[in-house]
Coordinates of all heavy atoms in Angstrom, one line a residue:
M1 N 111.1 -71.9 134.6 CA 110.1 -72.3 135.7 C 110.6 -71.4 136.9 O 109.6 -70.9 137.7 CB 110.2 -73.7 135.9 CG 109.3 -74.2 137.1 SD 107.7 -74.1 136.6 CE 106.9 -75.0 137.8
L2 N 111.8 -71.4 137.3 CA 112.3 -70.6 138.4 C 112.0 -69.2 138.3 O 111.6 -68.5 139.3 CB 113.8 -70.9 138.6 CG 114.3 -70.1 139.8 CD1 113.8 -70.8 141.2 CD2 115.8 -70.4 139.9
D3 N 112.0 -68.7 137.1 CA 111.7 -67.3 136.8 C 110.3 -66.9 137.2 O 110.0 -65.9 137.8 CB 112.0 -66.9 135.4 CG 113.4 -67.0 135.0 OD1 114.2 -67.1 135.9 OD2 113.8 -66.9 133.8
L4 N 109.4 -67.8 136.8 CA 107.9 -67.6 137.0 C 107.6 -67.7 138.6 O 106.9 -66.9 139.1 CB 107.0 -68.6 136.3 CG 107.0 -68.4 134.8 CD1 106.2 -69.5 134.1 CD2 106.4 -67.0 134.4
L5 N 108.2 -68.6 139.1 CA 108.1 -68.8 140.6 C 108.6 -67.6 141.3 O 108.0 -67.0 142.3 CB 108.8 -70.1 141.2 CG 108.1 -71.3 140.7 CD1 109.0 -72.5 141.2 CD2 106.7 -71.5 141.2
A6 N 109.7 -67.0 140.8 CA 110.3 -65.8 141.3 C 109.4 -64.7 141.2 O 109.2 -63.8 142.1 CB 111.6 -65.5 140.8
C7 N 108.7 -64.5 140.1 CA 107.7 -63.5 139.8 C 106.6 -63.5 140.8 O 106.2 -62.6 141.4 CB 107.2 -63.5 138.4 SG 108.4 -63.2 137.1
I8 N 106.1 -64.8 141.1 CA 105.0 -64.9 142.0 C 105.5 -64.5 143.4 O 104.8 -63.8 144.1 CB 104.6 -66.4 142.1 CG1 103.9 -66.8 140.7 CG2 103.6 -66.7 143.2 CD1 103.7 -68.3 140.5
G9 N 106.7 -65.0 143.8 CA 107.2 -64.6 145.1 C 107.3 -63.2 145.4 O 107.0 -62.6 146.3
L10 N 108.0 -62.4 144.3 CA 108.2 -61.1 144.4 C 106.9 -60.3 144.4 O 106.7 -59.4 145.3 CB 109.0 -60.6 143.2 CG 109.3 -59.1 143.2 CD1 110.1 -58.8 144.4 CD2 110.1 -58.7 141.9
T11 N 105.9 -60.7 143.7 CA 104.6 -60.0 143.7 C 103.9 -60.2 145.1 O 103.4 -59.2 145.6 CB 103.7 -60.7 142.6 OG1 104.3 -60.5 141.2 CG2 102.3 -59.9 142.6
L12 N 104.0 -61.4 145.6 CA 103.3 -61.6 146.9 C 104.0 -60.9 148.0 O 103.3 -60.3 148.9 CB 103.3 -63.1 147.2 CG 102.4 -64.0 146.2 CD1 102.5 -65.4 146.6 CD2 100.9 -63.5 146.4
I13 N 105.4 -60.8 147.9 CA 106.1 -60.1 149.0 C 105.7 -58.6 148.8 O 105.6 -57.9 149.9 CB 107.6 -60.3 148.8 CG1 108.1 -61.8 149.2 CG2 108.4 -59.3 149.6 CD1 109.4 -62.1 148.7
L14 N 105.7 -58.0 147.7 CA 105.5 -56.6 147.5 C 104.1 -56.3 147.9 O 103.8 -55.2 148.5 CB 105.7 -56.2 146.1 CG 107.2 -56.2 145.6 CD1 107.3 -55.9 144.2 CD2 108.0 -55.2 146.5
K15 N 103.1 -57.2 147.6 CA 101.8 -56.9 147.9 C 101.3 -57.2 149.3 O 100.5 -56.4 149.8 CB 100.9 -57.6 146.8 CG 99.4 -57.2 146.9 CD 98.7 -57.7 145.7 CE 97.1 -57.3 145.9 NZ 96.3 -57.8 145.0
Y16 N 101.8 -58.2 149.9 CA 101.3 -58.7 151.2 C 102.2 -58.7 152.3 O 101.9 -58.9 153.4 CB 100.6 -60.1 151.0 CG 99.5 -60.1 150.0 CD1 99.6 -60.9 148.9 CD2 98.3 -59.5 150.2 CE1 98.6 -60.9 147.9 CE2 97.2 -59.5 149.3 CZ 97.4 -60.3 148.2 OH 96.3 -60.3 147.3
G17 N 103.6 -58.6 152.0 CA 104.5 -58.8 153.1 C 104.4 -57.7 154.1 O 104.5 -56.5 153.9
T18 N 104.2 -58.2 155.4 CA 103.8 -57.2 156.5 C 105.1 -56.4 156.8 O 104.9 -55.2 157.3 CB 103.3 -57.9 157.7 OG1 104.4 -58.9 158.1 CG2 102.0 -58.6 157.5
I19 N 106.3 -56.9 156.5 CA 107.4 -56.1 156.8 C 107.6 -54.8 155.9 O 108.3 -53.9 156.2 CB 108.7 -56.9 156.7 CG1 109.9 -56.3 157.5 CG2 109.1 -57.4 155.3 CD1 111.1 -57.2 157.7
L20 N 106.9 -54.9 154.8 CA 107.0 -53.8 153.8 C 105.7 -52.9 154.0 O 105.4 -52.1 153.1 CB 107.0 -54.4 152.4 CG 108.2 -55.2 152.0 CD1 108.1 -55.8 150.7 CD2 109.4 -54.3 152.2
N21 N 104.9 -53.0 155.0 CA 103.7 -52.2 155.2 C 104.0 -50.7 155.1 O 103.4 -49.9 154.4 CB 103.1 -52.5 156.4 CG 102.2 -53.8 156.4 OD1 101.9 -54.2 155.3 ND2 101.8 -54.3 157.6
K22 N 105.0 -50.2 155.9 CA 105.4 -48.8 156.0 C 105.9 -48.3 154.6 O 105.4 -47.3 154.1 CB 106.2 -48.5 157.1 CG 105.6 -48.5 158.4 CD 106.5 -48.2 159.6 CE 105.8 -48.2 160.9 NZ 106.6 -47.9 162.0
P23 N 106.9 -49.0 154.0 CA 107.4 -48.4 152.7 C 106.3 -48.6 151.6 O 106.2 -47.7 150.8 CB 108.5 -49.4 152.4 CG 108.9 -50.2 153.6 CD 107.7 -50.1 154.6
R24 N 105.5 -49.6 151.7 CA 104.4 -49.9 150.7 C 103.4 -48.5 150.9 O 102.9 -48.0 149.8 CB 103.8 -51.1 150.9 CG 102.7 -51.4 149.8 CD 102.1 -52.8 149.9 NE 102.0 -53.3 151.2 CZ 102.6 -54.3 151.8 NH1 103.5 -55.0 151.1 NH2 102.4 -54.7 153.0
D25 N 102.9 -48.3 152.1 CA 102.0 -47.3 152.3 C 102.6 -45.9 151.8 O 101.9 -45.1 151.2 CB 101.6 -47.2 153.8 CG 100.8 -48.5 154.2 OD1 100.2 -49.0 153.3 OD2 100.6 -48.6 155.4
Y26 N 103.9 -45.7 152.1 CA 104.5 -44.4 151.7 C 104.5 -44.3 150.1 O 104.1 -43.3 149.6 CB 106.0 -44.4 152.2 CG 106.8 -43.2 151.7 CD1 106.6 -41.9 152.2 CD2 107.7 -43.4 150.6 CE1 107.3 -40.8 151.7 CE2 108.4 -42.3 150.1 CZ 108.1 -41.1 150.7 OH 108.8 -39.9 150.2
I27 N 104.9 -45.5 149.4 CA 104.9 -45.4 148.0 C 103.5 -45.3 147.4 O 103.3 -44.5 146.4 CB 105.5 -46.7 147.5 CG1 107.0 -46.8 147.9 CG2 105.4 -46.9 145.9 CD1 107.7 -48.1 147.6
K28 N 102.5 -45.9 148.0 CA 101.2 -45.8 147.6 C 100.6 -44.4 147.7 O 99.7 -44.0 146.9 CB 100.3 -46.8 148.3 CG 100.5 -48.2 147.9 CD 99.8 -49.1 148.9 CE 98.4 -49.4 148.6 NZ 97.9 -50.5 149.4
N29 N 101.1 -43.6 148.6 CA 100.6 -42.2 148.8 C 101.3 -41.2 147.9 O 100.9 -40.1 147.8 CB 100.8 -41.8 150.3 CG 99.9 -42.5 151.2 OD1 98.7 -42.8 150.8 ND2 100.2 -42.9 152.5
I30 N 102.4 -41.6 147.2 CA 103.1 -40.8 146.3 C 102.2 -40.4 145.1 O 102.1 -39.2 144.7 CB 104.4 -41.3 145.8 CG1 105.4 -41.5 147.0 CG2 105.0 -40.6 144.6 CD1 106.6 -42.3 146.7
H31 N 101.5 -41.3 144.5 CA 100.7 -41.0 143.3 C 99.7 -42.1 143.2 O 99.9 -43.3 143.6 CB 101.6 -41.1 142.1 CG 101.0 -40.5 140.9 ND1 100.0 -41.2 140.2 CD2 101.1 -39.3 140.3 CE1 99.6 -40.5 139.2 NE2 100.2 -39.2 139.2
P32 N 98.4 -41.7 142.7 CA 97.3 -42.7 142.7 C 97.6 -43.9 141.8 O 97.1 -45.0 142.0 CB 96.1 -41.9 142.1 CG 96.5 -40.5 142.3 CD 98.0 -40.4 142.4
I33 N 98.5 -43.7 140.8 CA 98.9 -44.9 139.9 C 99.7 -45.9 140.7 O 99.4 -47.1 140.5 CB 99.6 -44.4 138.7 CG1 98.7 -43.6 137.8 CG2 100.3 -45.5 137.9 CD1 99.4 -43.0 136.5
L34 N 100.5 -45.5 141.6 CA 101.2 -46.4 142.5 C 100.3 -47.2 143.4 O 100.6 -48.3 143.7 CB 102.4 -45.7 143.2 CG 103.5 -45.1 142.3 CD1 104.4 -44.3 143.1 CD2 104.2 -46.2 141.6
K35 N 99.3 -46.5 143.9 CA 98.3 -47.2 144.7 C 97.6 -48.2 144.0 O 97.4 -49.4 144.4 CB 97.3 -46.1 145.3 CG 96.3 -46.7 146.2 CD 95.3 -45.7 146.8 CE 94.4 -46.4 147.8 NZ 93.4 -45.5 148.3
D36 N 97.2 -47.9 142.8 CA 96.6 -48.9 141.9 C 97.5 -50.1 141.6 O 97.1 -51.2 141.6 CB 96.1 -48.3 140.6 CG 94.9 -47.3 140.7 OD1 94.3 -47.4 141.8 OD2 94.8 -46.5 139.8
L37 N 98.8 -49.8 141.3 CA 99.7 -50.8 141.1 C 99.9 -51.8 142.2 O 99.9 -53.1 142.0 CB 101.1 -50.2 140.9 CG 102.3 -51.2 140.7 CD1 102.3 -51.9 139.4 CD2 103.6 -50.5 140.7
F38 N 100.0 -51.3 143.5 CA 100.1 -52.3 144.6 C 98.8 -52.9 145.0 O 98.8 -53.9 145.8 CB 100.8 -51.5 145.8 CG 102.2 -51.3 145.7 CD1 102.8 -50.4 145.1 CD2 103.1 -52.4 146.1 CE1 104.1 -50.2 145.0 CE2 104.4 -52.3 146.1 CZ 105.0 -51.2 145.4
N39 N 97.7 -52.5 144.5 CA 96.4 -53.2 144.6 C 96.0 -54.2 143.6 O 95.0 -54.8 143.7 CB 95.3 -52.1 144.7 CG 95.4 -51.3 146.2 OD1 96.0 -51.9 147.1 ND2 95.0 -50.1 146.1
C40 N 96.9 -54.3 142.6 CA 96.5 -55.1 141.3 C 97.6 -56.2 141.2 O 98.7 -55.9 140.8 CB 96.4 -54.3 140.2 SG 96.1 -55.2 138.7
S41 N 97.3 -57.4 141.4 CA 98.3 -58.5 141.3 C 98.7 -58.6 139.7 O 99.8 -59.0 139.5 CB 97.7 -59.9 141.7 OG 97.5 -59.9 143.1
L42 N 97.7 -58.4 138.9 CA 98.1 -58.5 137.5 C 99.2 -57.4 137.1 O 100.2 -57.7 136.5 CB 96.8 -58.2 136.7 CG 97.0 -58.2 135.1 CD1 97.3 -59.7 134.7 CD2 95.7 -57.9 134.5
C43 N 98.9 -56.1 137.5 CA 99.9 -55.1 137.3 C 101.2 -55.3 138.0 O 102.2 -55.2 137.4 CB 99.3 -53.7 137.7 SG 97.6 -53.4 137.0
L44 N 101.1 -55.6 139.2 CA 102.4 -55.8 140.0 C 103.1 -57.0 139.5 O 104.3 -57.0 139.4 CB 102.0 -56.0 141.5 CG 103.1 -55.8 142.5 CD1 103.8 -54.4 142.4 CD2 102.6 -56.0 143.9
G45 N 102.4 -58.1 139.1 CA 103.0 -59.2 138.5 C 103.8 -58.9 137.3 O 104.8 -59.4 136.9
F46 N 103.2 -58.0 136.4 CA 103.9 -57.6 135.2 C 105.2 -56.9 135.5 O 106.2 -57.2 134.9 CB 102.9 -56.7 134.4 CG 103.7 -56.1 133.2 CD1 103.8 -56.8 132.0 CD2 104.2 -54.8 133.3 CE1 104.5 -56.3 130.9 CE2 104.9 -54.2 132.2 CZ 105.1 -55.0 131.0
W47 N 105.2 -56.0 136.3 CA 106.3 -55.3 136.7 C 107.4 -56.1 137.5 O 108.6 -56.0 137.4 CB 106.1 -53.9 137.4 CG 105.4 -53.1 136.5 CD1 104.1 -52.6 136.5 CD2 106.1 -52.4 135.4 NE1 103.9 -51.7 135.4 CE2 105.1 -51.6 134.7 CE3 107.4 -52.4 134.9 CZ2 105.4 -50.8 133.6 CZ3 107.7 -51.5 133.7 CH2 106.7 -50.8 133.2
S48 N 106.9 -57.2 138.2 CA 107.8 -58.0 138.9 C 108.5 -58.9 137.7 O 109.7 -59.2 137.8 CB 107.0 -59.0 139.8 OG 106.5 -58.3 140.9
G49 N 107.7 -59.2 136.7 CA 108.3 -60.0 135.5 C 109.3 -59.2 134.9 O 110.4 -59.7 134.5
V50 N 109.1 -57.9 134.7 CA 110.1 -57.0 134.1 C 111.4 -56.9 135.0 O 112.5 -57.2 134.5 CB 109.6 -55.6 133.9 CG1 110.7 -54.7 133.5 CG2 108.4 -55.6 132.9
F51 N 111.3 -56.9 136.3 CA 112.4 -56.9 137.1 C 113.1 -58.2 137.1 O 114.4 -58.3 136.9 CB 112.0 -56.6 138.7 CG 113.1 -56.7 139.5 CD1 114.0 -55.7 139.8 CD2 113.1 -57.8 140.4 CE1 115.0 -55.8 140.7 CE2 114.2 -58.0 141.3 CZ 115.1 -56.9 141.4
V52 N 112.4 -59.3 137.2 CA 113.0 -60.6 137.1 C 113.8 -60.9 135.9 O 114.8 -61.5 135.8 CB 112.0 -61.7 137.4 CG1 112.5 -63.1 137.2 CG2 111.5 -61.7 138.9
Y53 N 113.2 -60.4 134.8 CA 113.8 -60.5 133.5 C 115.2 -59.9 133.5 O 116.2 -60.5 132.9 CB 113.0 -59.8 132.3 CG 113.7 -59.7 131.1 CD1 113.8 -60.9 130.3 CD2 114.3 -58.5 130.6 CE1 114.4 -60.8 129.0 CE2 115.0 -58.4 129.4 CZ 114.9 -59.5 128.6 OH 115.6 -59.5 127.4
Y54 N 115.4 -58.9 134.1 CA 116.8 -58.1 134.2 C 117.8 -58.8 135.1 O 118.9 -58.5 135.1 CB 116.6 -56.7 134.5 CG 116.1 -55.9 133.3 CD1 114.9 -55.5 133.2 CD2 116.9 -55.8 132.2 CE1 114.4 -54.7 132.1 CE2 116.5 -55.0 131.0 CZ 115.2 -54.6 131.0 OH 114.7 -54.0 130.0
V55 N 117.3 -59.7 136.1 CA 118.1 -60.3 137.1 C 118.2 -61.8 136.8 O 118.6 -62.5 137.8 CB 117.8 -59.9 138.5 CG1 118.1 -58.5 138.7 CG2 116.5 -60.4 138.9
T56 N 117.8 -62.4 135.7 CA 117.7 -63.8 135.6 C 119.0 -64.6 135.7 O 118.9 -65.8 136.0 CB 117.1 -64.1 134.2 OG1 117.8 -63.5 133.2 CG2 115.6 -63.8 134.1
K57 N 120.1 -63.9 135.6 CA 121.3 -64.6 135.8 C 121.8 -64.5 137.3 O 123.1 -64.6 137.6 CB 122.3 -64.1 134.9 CG 122.0 -64.4 133.5 CD 123.1 -64.1 132.5 CE 122.8 -64.2 131.1 NZ 121.9 -64.9 130.5
S58 N 121.0 -64.2 138.2 CA 121.3 -63.9 139.6 C 120.6 -65.0 140.5 O 119.5 -65.4 140.2 CB 121.0 -62.6 140.0 OG 121.2 -62.3 141.3
Y59 N 121.3 -65.3 141.6 CA 120.7 -66.2 142.6 C 119.6 -65.5 143.4 O 119.0 -66.1 144.3 CB 121.8 -66.8 143.5 CG 122.6 -67.8 142.9 CD1 123.8 -67.5 142.4 CD2 122.1 -69.0 142.5 CE1 124.7 -68.5 141.8 CE2 122.9 -69.9 141.8 CZ 124.2 -69.6 141.4 OH 124.8 -70.6 140.8
I60 N 119.3 -64.3 143.1 CA 118.2 -63.6 143.9 C 116.9 -64.2 143.6 O 116.0 -64.0 144.4 CB 118.2 -62.0 143.5 CG1 117.4 -61.3 144.5 CG2 117.7 -61.8 142.1 CD1 117.5 -59.8 144.4
L61 N 116.8 -65.0 142.5 CA 115.5 -65.6 142.1 C 115.1 -66.6 143.1 O 113.9 -66.9 143.4 CB 115.5 -66.1 140.7 CG 115.8 -65.1 139.6 CD1 115.8 -65.8 138.3 CD2 114.6 -64.0 139.7
L62 N 116.0 -67.4 143.6 CA 115.7 -68.5 144.5 C 114.8 -68.1 145.8 O 113.7 -68.7 146.0 CB 116.8 -69.4 144.9 CG 116.6 -70.6 145.8 CD1 115.7 -71.5 144.9 CD2 117.9 -71.2 146.1
P63 N 115.2 -67.1 146.5 CA 114.4 -66.7 147.6 C 113.0 -66.1 147.2 O 112.0 -66.4 147.8 CB 115.2 -65.5 148.2 CG 116.6 -65.6 147.7 CD 116.5 -66.3 146.5
L64 N 112.9 -65.5 146.0 CA 111.7 -65.0 145.5 C 110.7 -66.2 145.1 O 109.6 -66.2 145.4 CB 111.8 -64.0 144.3 CG 112.6 -62.8 144.7 CD1 112.8 -62.0 143.4 CD2 111.9 -62.0 145.6
A65 N 111.4 -67.1 144.5 CA 110.6 -68.3 144.1 C 110.1 -69.1 145.3 O 109.0 -69.6 145.5 CB 111.5 -69.3 143.2
S66 N 111.0 -69.2 146.3 CA 110.7 -69.9 147.5 C 109.6 -69.2 148.3 O 108.6 -69.9 148.8 CB 111.9 -69.9 148.5 OG 111.6 -70.4 149.7
A67 N 109.5 -67.9 148.2 CA 108.4 -67.1 148.8 C 107.1 -67.5 148.3 O 106.0 -67.8 149.0 CB 108.6 -65.6 148.8
G68 N 107.0 -67.5 146.9 CA 105.7 -68.0 146.2 C 105.3 -69.3 146.5 O 104.2 -69.5 146.7
V69 N 106.3 -70.2 146.4 CA 105.9 -71.7 146.7 C 105.5 -71.9 148.1 O 104.5 -72.6 148.3 CB 107.1 -72.6 146.3 CG1 106.8 -74.0 146.7 CG2 107.3 -72.5 144.8
C70 N 106.2 -71.2 149.0 CA 105.8 -71.4 150.5 C 104.4 -70.9 150.7 O 103.6 -71.4 151.4 CB 106.9 -70.8 151.3 SG 108.4 -71.7 151.3
W71 N 104.2 -69.7 150.1 CA 102.8 -69.0 150.3 C 101.8 -70.0 149.7 O 100.7 -70.2 150.4 CB 102.8 -67.7 149.6 CG 101.4 -67.0 149.7 CD1 100.9 -66.3 150.7 CD2 100.4 -67.2 148.8 NE1 99.6 -66.0 150.5 CE2 99.3 -66.5 149.3 CE3 100.2 -67.8 147.5 CZ2 98.0 -66.4 148.6 CZ3 99.0 -67.8 146.9 CH2 97.9 -67.0 147.4
A72 N 102.0 -70.5 148.5 CA 101.0 -71.4 148.0 C 100.8 -72.7 148.8 O 99.7 -73.1 149.0 CB 101.4 -71.8 146.5
A73 N 101.9 -73.3 149.3 CA 101.8 -74.4 150.2 C 101.0 -74.1 151.4 O 100.2 -74.9 151.8 CB 103.3 -74.9 150.4
D74 N 101.3 -73.0 152.0 CA 100.6 -72.6 153.2 C 99.1 -72.4 153.0 O 98.2 -72.8 153.9 CB 101.3 -71.3 153.8 CG 100.6 -70.8 155.1 OD1 100.5 -71.7 156.0 OD2 100.2 -69.7 155.2
A75 N 98.8 -71.7 151.9 CA 97.4 -71.6 151.5 C 96.7 -72.9 151.3 O 95.5 -73.2 151.8 CB 97.3 -70.8 150.3
F76 N 97.4 -73.9 150.7 CA 96.9 -75.2 150.4 C 96.6 -76.0 151.7 O 95.6 -76.6 151.9 CB 97.8 -76.0 149.5 CG 97.3 -77.4 149.2 CD1 96.2 -77.6 148.3 CD2 98.0 -78.5 149.7 CE1 95.7 -78.8 148.0 CE2 97.4 -79.7 149.3 CZ 96.4 -79.9 148.6
I77 N 97.6 -75.8 152.6 CA 97.4 -76.5 153.9 C 96.3 -75.9 154.7 O 95.5 -76.6 155.3 CB 98.7 -76.5 154.7 CG1 99.8 -77.3 154.0 CG2 98.5 -76.8 156.2 CD1 101.2 -77.1 154.6
G78 N 96.1 -74.6 154.6 CA 95.0 -73.9 155.2 C 93.6 -74.4 154.7 O 92.7 -74.6 155.5
I79 N 93.6 -74.5 153.4 CA 92.4 -75.1 152.9 C 92.1 -76.6 153.3 O 90.9 -76.9 153.7 CB 92.4 -75.1 151.3 CG1 92.4 -73.7 150.8 CG2 91.3 -75.9 150.7 CD1 92.8 -73.5 149.3
L80 N 93.1 -77.3 153.4 CA 93.0 -78.7 153.9 C 92.5 -78.8 155.4 O 91.6 -79.5 155.8 CB 94.2 -79.6 153.7 CG 94.7 -79.9 152.4 CD1 96.0 -80.7 152.4 CD2 93.6 -80.8 151.7
Q81 N 93.0 -77.8 156.2 CA 92.7 -77.8 157.7 C 91.2 -77.3 157.7 O 90.5 -77.9 158.5 CB 93.5 -76.9 158.4 CG 95.0 -77.4 158.6 CD 95.9 -76.4 159.2 OE1 95.7 -75.2 159.1 NE2 96.9 -77.0 159.9
F82 N 90.8 -76.4 156.9 CA 89.4 -75.9 156.9 C 88.5 -77.0 156.6 O 87.4 -77.2 157.2 CB 89.3 -74.7 155.9 CG 87.9 -74.4 155.7 CD1 87.2 -73.6 156.7 CD2 87.1 -74.8 154.6 CE1 85.8 -73.2 156.5 CE2 85.8 -74.3 154.4 CZ 85.2 -73.6 155.3
L83 N 88.8 -77.8 155.6 CA 88.0 -78.9 155.1 C 87.9 -80.0 156.2 O 86.8 -80.6 156.5 CB 88.4 -79.4 153.8 CG 88.3 -78.6 152.6 CD1 88.9 -79.2 151.4 CD2 86.8 -78.3 152.3
E84 N 89.0 -80.3 156.9 CA 89.1 -81.3 158.0 C 88.1 -80.8 159.1 O 87.4 -81.6 159.6 CB 90.4 -81.4 158.4 CG 90.6 -82.4 159.5 CD 92.0 -82.5 160.1 OE1 92.8 -81.5 160.0 OE2 92.3 -83.4 160.9
I85 N 88.2 -79.6 159.5 CA 87.4 -79.1 160.6 C 85.9 -79.2 160.2 O 85.0 -79.6 161.0 CB 87.8 -77.6 161.0 CG1 89.1 -77.7 161.7 CG2 86.7 -77.0 161.9 CD1 89.8 -76.4 161.8
K86 N 85.6 -78.9 158.9 CA 84.2 -78.8 158.5 C 83.7 -80.3 158.4 O 82.6 -80.5 158.8 CB 84.1 -78.2 157.0 CG 82.7 -78.1 156.5 CD 82.7 -77.4 155.2 CE 81.3 -77.1 154.8 NZ 80.7 -77.9 154.0
V87 N 84.5 -81.2 158.0 CA 84.1 -82.6 158.0 C 83.8 -83.2 159.4 O 82.9 -83.9 159.7 CB 85.1 -83.5 157.2 CG1 84.8 -85.0 157.4 CG2 85.1 -83.2 155.7
E88 N 84.7 -82.8 160.3 CA 84.6 -83.2 161.7 C 83.2 -82.6 162.3 O 82.5 -83.3 163.0 CB 85.8 -82.8 162.5 CG 87.0 -83.7 162.3 CD 88.1 -83.1 163.1 OE1 88.0 -82.3 164.0 OE2 89.3 -83.7 163.0
K89 N 82.9 -81.4 162.0 CA 81.8 -80.7 162.6 C 80.5 -81.4 162.0 O 79.5 -81.6 162.6 CB 81.7 -79.2 162.2 CG 82.4 -78.3 163.1 CD 82.2 -76.9 162.7 CE 82.9 -75.9 163.7 NZ 82.7 -74.5 163.3
D90 N 80.5 -81.6 160.7 CA 79.4 -82.3 160.0 C 79.2 -83.8 160.6 O 78.0 -84.2 160.6 CB 79.6 -82.3 158.5 CG 79.5 -80.9 157.9 OD1 79.0 -79.9 158.6 OD2 79.9 -80.7 156.7
S91 N 80.2 -84.5 160.9 CA 80.1 -85.8 161.4 C 79.5 -85.9 162.8 O 79.0 -86.9 163.2 CB 81.4 -86.6 161.2 OG 82.4 -86.1 162.1
K92 N 79.8 -84.8 163.5 CA 79.2 -84.8 164.9 C 77.7 -84.5 165.0 O 77.1 -84.6 166.0 CB 80.0 -83.8 165.8 CG 81.4 -84.2 166.0 CD 82.2 -83.3 166.8 CE 83.6 -83.7 167.0 NZ 84.4 -82.7 167.8
R93 N 77.1 -84.1 163.9 CA 75.7 -83.7 164.0 C 74.9 -84.9 163.9 O 74.8 -85.9 163.7 CB 75.4 -82.9 162.8 CG 76.0 -81.4 162.8 CD 75.5 -80.6 161.8 NE 76.4 -79.5 161.8 CZ 76.1 -78.4 160.9 NH1 75.2 -78.4 160.1 NH2 76.9 -77.4 161.0

């Protein structure tokens, strides 16, 4: 379970992490295949899984898993807030 969460976290960090914008843009400009890789969660998730497979006996997985879970929780809270605002607007009409 921790391995899968780590894959999610690593994929999200590599694809969306703003701190990685410059290195990611540099890598994406090296070759069109690398650009496709960083634009595809399925592809990036696969290679994240390969990486995590090789480090499964390491505590490096916990921060990666935490990143994925925190992103999912943040997205879920954002959806709840959107729905709350929508319900409030609809009830004022």
Side-chain angles (χ1 to χ4, degrees):
M1 180 67 165
L2 182 62
D3 294 351
L4 290 176
L5 292 174
C7 291
I8 293 168
L10 180 59
T11 300
L12 294 173
I13 290 168
L14 291 174
K15 188 169 181 187
Y16 300 114
T18 56
I19 198 166
L20 296 177
N21 282 345
K22 287 183 181 181
R24 183 174 41 247
D25 290 341
Y26 175 77
I27 291 169
K28 288 166 82 172
N29 288 326
I30 293 174
H31 195 279
I33 290 176
L34 294 173
K35 182 178 181 180
D36 291 342
L37 173 69
F38 279 89
N39 289 332
C40 174
S41 294
L42 181 66
C43 304
L44 197 56
F46 172 81
W47 290 108
S48 294
V50 170
F51 174 78
V52 167
Y53 171 77
Y54 285 106
V55 296
T56 53
K57 294 188 186 338
S58 172
Y59 286 107
I60 194 170
L61 296 182
L62 185 58
L64 298 174
S66 175
V69 171
C70 291
W71 177 86
D74 184 50
F76 181 71
I77 291 168
I79 291 168
L80 290 178
Q81 289 174 334
F82 171 78
L83 292 174
E84 179 185 18
I85 292 168
K86 185 174 191 261
V87 167
E88 285 179 6
K89 276 185 178 180
D90 290 346
S91 68
K92 289 182 181 179
R93 289 183 193 185

